[in-house]
Amino acid sequence: MLGLNLLERLPGLNFDLSMPDQVDYPSPDSLPYPNAAGDQQDMMADFQLPPHTLLVELVRLFFDRLYHMFPCFHRNSFEAQLDDGVVQKESPLILYAICCVAARYHPDVSVKRREKDWYAQAKFNYDMTQRDPYPGLRTIQAALVLILYAYTAGDFSAGWLFLGKAWRQAVALGMNRMDASNPAALGMKPIHSTTGTRTHYGIDGLEGSTAAEKEEYRRTLWLMFIMDRNMAWPTAWPVTIPEPHFKVDIPSSDTMFQTMEPALEHGPCESVPFTRHLESLIKSSSGAKDPCNVFHYVCITHVLLGRVSELVHSLHHTPDSLEYTKECAELDSYIVKFQLSLPRQAASILEASPADRVHVVWLQVTLNTCAMLLHYRCLNGVTDVGTPGPFILAMTAARNIAQIIRDTSRISSELILSAHIGSSLYVAACILVIEWRMTGDDALREEIQLFELVFDRMNEVFIFLGMKFKFALEHDLRKSKEELQQLRDCGLRGLLADCTKWTHVKEEVQRRGILIDIT
């Protein structure tokens, strides 16, 4: 059926054409229309990995410019495998994914133009992977790169589905229970077992695995967990990864990880076990201070974000119920304790070391996002609607994010241009718009302008993300005072359920002739 669809779309294409061994089957979504001109071999070349020299350049760009968003690759190991041709042979998928996100940073315009071709090829290759892919680690890492790229390019639906598939694959490979005391539980084979002639690339208890490999697995699973929480809270959709089925130790510091020798059997320190008990989890952060392990803090923050999102979007609570209020107070106390437990180099971008700054921004924006979600509540049941209620705390968190933008911009605006925090920046801007129109405070309008400028800069880096939030914010600014009052009174759920802004974004995109399918 697949071959028939291709023949229908490309009448006259000779599928018996002899091609180099490196060529993969072209993606149907990325093939030109039947009347497209050009040589057949040139067209097929778009679906090959680039020559080795260019491939090395793109991988280096990926680590130099994008590693902070994908902190799950051991650079020395990956580049050594690239030089030896191991990655090209075992997982061209991860290389297609890396090429598509790194292409936008390449100085050659012709390389930049291949970004979408490599994305289409990576999507097609990932679609073909099965429940227990080989090699497992590289396949899951490729999925994470594709998920974040899809989010920035307006292909949200594909990213959401890829996340679900990647989690199921990780479970099938046993990666989700790599640090469990009973890793072969539930009747599943140990994850180092062999089926036929194929070995499942998992962690095996952990004989034969190096410290760097174990850490790479842990970071990959935690990045998946983080991306799952980041995709769930703005949509009010359920999370994909349930905490009870996630038993992966918290990663070590990035400095320690990257300096590990590829053949080293044991790491320089014991890993910190992940526990679902928030009090114990927060206390465990004291061990991340020497050296400062900001990614450890980022992981814990996203556990908190998941718990907050679960409460806010629960179908079993109403925001004006006593149970909801009690749970909000409990989660708020954990957030306060965790914030106070952080050393200054993780609490302030100005105090952070240069290597940690981008993750400190990520950490602090996410912590303030937790506060915004908790305190931006529906006002039903409030006796005096004129009182600020918890909204003042949500507005304070939004202003904290504006201050983070100010402080970060004094160092480098690049530090704030992360796809992981895009939704947080937008919701903070919305809250400030509401407060500005309610109070007329011009200082708030100046802070809103900071967000507009960040979205402009994001639009220079990502295909669609900055444009999406810029257009949505413009729509919010045009709302009447009465409409904004209603958005404030109906709480976060009401704000997220307001789809008029996304209709406006779609219309603006179409009006400007931008060819993006917003899903």
Side-chain angles (χ1 to χ4, degrees):
M1 180 62 72
L2 181 59
L4 179 60
N5 289 340
L6 285 172
L7 287 170
E8 289 174 349
R9 295 183 67 172
L10 288 169
L13 178 61
N14 178 13
F15 281 91
D16 295 325
L17 179 67
S18 177
M19 298 299 295
D21 292 340
Q22 197 179 29
V23 178
D24 289 288
Y25 206 56
S27 161
D29 291 337
S30 58
L31 291 172
Y33 292 103
N35 60 352
D39 182 79
Q40 179 172 301
Q41 291 189 7
D42 290 341
M43 184 276 293
M44 293 298 287
D46 288 339
F47 304 101
Q48 300 181 52
L49 287 173
H52 183 74
T53 302
L54 177 55
L55 187 58
V56 170
E57 288 179 9
L58 289 168
V59 168
R60 286 177 180 168
L61 280 172
F62 175 79
F63 280 105
D64 291 343
R65 303 297 296 273
L66 289 160
Y67 174 77
H68 66 90
M69 282 194 284
F70 304 100
C72 61
F73 292 86
H74 188 253
R75 182 168 187 168
N76 288 343
S77 298
F78 192 92
E79 291 184 336
Q81 292 175 4
L82 182 71
D83 290 340
D84 294 341
V86 174
V87 186
Q88 295 91 318
K89 181 180 178 181
E90 291 191 345
S91 184
L93 166 60
I94 185 62
L95 294 176
Y96 282 121
I98 285 175
C99 286
C100 87
V101 296
R104 65 186 64 158
Y105 295 96
H106 198 278
D108 190 330
V109 176
S110 65
V111 174
K112 293 178 186 288
R113 281 200 291 260
R114 295 190 65 186
E115 174 182 331
K116 293 183 180 179
D117 292 330
W118 285 323
Y119 174 56
Q121 184 64 55
K123 280 181 66 176
F124 182 74
N125 283 15
Y126 186 60
D127 278 333
M128 295 295 103
T129 60
Q130 301 301 307
R131 182 190 66 181
D132 53 349
Y134 172 88
L137 176 64
R138 296 300 180 214
T139 301
I140 301 302
Q141 288 175 329
L144 299 184
V145 175
L146 289 176
I147 291 164
L148 205 61
Y149 181 90
Y151 173 69
T152 66
D155 196 11
F156 186 83
S157 180
W160 181 265
L161 295 175
F162 283 161
L163 178 61
K165 179 176 179 177
W167 168 244
R168 295 296 184 187
Q169 288 174 321
V171 170
L173 294 169
M175 293 167 65
N176 66 305
R177 50 193 167 89
M178 61 174 285
D179 292 311
S181 57
N182 55 340
L186 303 177
M188 300 181 72
K189 295 179 182 179
I191 50 183
H192 62 283
S193 64
T194 301
T195 303
T197 59
R198 288 180 56 190
T199 300
H200 290 255
Y201 270 46
I203 297 293
D204 62 339
L206 300 175
E207 297 175 5
S209 298
T210 69
E213 287 172 342
K214 296 169 190 174
E215 192 65 18
E216 198 165 2
Y217 272 85
R218 290 188 182 110
R219 283 173 163 263
T220 298
L221 265 292
W222 271 104
L223 183 60
M224 184 190 297
F225 182 98
I226 287 167
M227 290 171 68
D228 179 38
R229 270 47 184 177
N230 275 334
M231 293 183 77
W233 76 259
T235 60
W237 290 351
V239 296
T240 299
I241 302 175
E243 271 187 31
H245 293 275
F246 188 87
K247 189 64 176 76
V248 181
D249 288 352
I250 299 177
S252 61
S253 73
D254 197 69
T255 301
M256 200 174 290
F257 171 50
Q258 291 300 337
T259 55
M260 286 180 182
E261 292 296 328
L264 188 69
E265 267 190 57
H266 301 288
C269 65
E270 291 293 322
S271 58
V272 178
F274 169 55
T275 172
R276 298 187 64 233
H277 187 258
L278 290 180
E279 191 77 39
S280 300
L281 189 63
I282 291 171
K283 286 181 180 178
S284 74
S285 65
S286 61
K289 294 178 183 178
D290 190 22
C292 186
N293 183 358
V294 181
F295 193 59
H296 178 121
Y297 301 133
V298 169
C299 293
I300 293 178
T301 301
H302 283 84
V303 175
L304 289 168
L305 178 63
R307 299 288 183 91
V308 169
S309 177
E310 182 182 81
L311 171 64
V312 169
H313 297 309
S314 172
L315 302 179
H316 297 274
H317 289 298
T318 57
D320 56 345
S321 68
L322 181 61
E323 294 82 2
Y324 187 95
T325 302
K326 286 182 177 179
E327 289 193 43
C328 276
E330 184 178 0
L331 285 170
D332 183 57
S333 69
Y334 284 127
I335 293 169
V336 171
K337 288 178 184 177
F338 181 57
Q339 185 71 277
L340 289 173
S341 75
L342 297 175
R344 285 186 60 79
Q345 59 264 43
S348 167
I349 183 68
L350 300 177
E351 298 287 339
S353 69
D356 290 334
R357 283 169 180 161
V358 69
H359 282 177
V360 170
V361 171
W362 190 1
L363 165 66
Q364 289 300 322
V365 168
T366 306
L367 271 175
N368 281 285
T369 300
C370 292
M372 290 190 301
L373 300 187
L374 270 184
H375 300 298
Y376 184 6
R377 304 184 208 164
C378 176
L379 293 179
N380 288 343
V382 175
T383 54
D384 182 4
V385 180
T387 61
F391 186 81
I392 189 67
L393 297 177
M395 193 266 292
T396 300
R399 298 196 78 168
N400 288 343
I401 293 177
Q403 186 62 48
I404 291 169
I405 293 175
R406 278 198 197 90
D407 292 342
T408 303
S409 298
R410 293 187 178 104
I411 301 170
S412 171
S413 59
E414 289 290 313
L415 299 172
I416 203 75
L417 304 182
S418 171
H420 292 300
I421 61 173
S423 295
S424 297
L425 298 182
Y426 171 68
V427 170
C430 287
I431 290 173
L432 294 179
V433 168
I434 293 171
E435 185 68 8
W436 170 56
R437 292 294 296 279
M438 295 298 103
T439 64
D441 185 350
D442 288 338
L444 292 170
R445 182 64 184 101
E446 291 181 8
E447 292 182 345
I448 295 165
Q449 289 172 346
L450 295 178
F451 290 89
E452 292 175 306
L453 291 170
V454 170
F455 295 147
D456 283 336
R457 301 292 74 74
M458 276 191 174
N459 199 44
E460 295 169 351
V461 176
F462 305 116
I463 290 178
F464 176 64
L465 191 65
M467 183 192 312
K468 167 186 171 181
F469 291 134
K470 179 70 178 292
F471 289 164
L473 186 56
E474 287 175 353
H475 180 71
D476 293 328
L477 285 165
R478 293 174 190 153
K479 287 182 180 291
S480 67
K481 187 173 181 179
E482 290 73 21
E483 289 173 317
L484 291 172
Q485 177 73 56
Q486 185 177 4
L487 279 183
R488 173 177 152 168
D489 293 349
C490 65
L492 180 77
R493 291 183 184 181
L495 177 70
L496 297 179
D498 174 25
C499 293
T500 59
K501 64 190 67 179
W502 308 124
T503 301
H504 170 73
V505 171
K506 186 173 183 178
E507 290 172 352
E508 278 296 301
V509 167
Q510 292 174 344
R511 185 176 67 82
R512 299 181 184 214
I514 302 170
L515 300 177
I516 293 177
D517 179 20
I518 303 173
T519 55

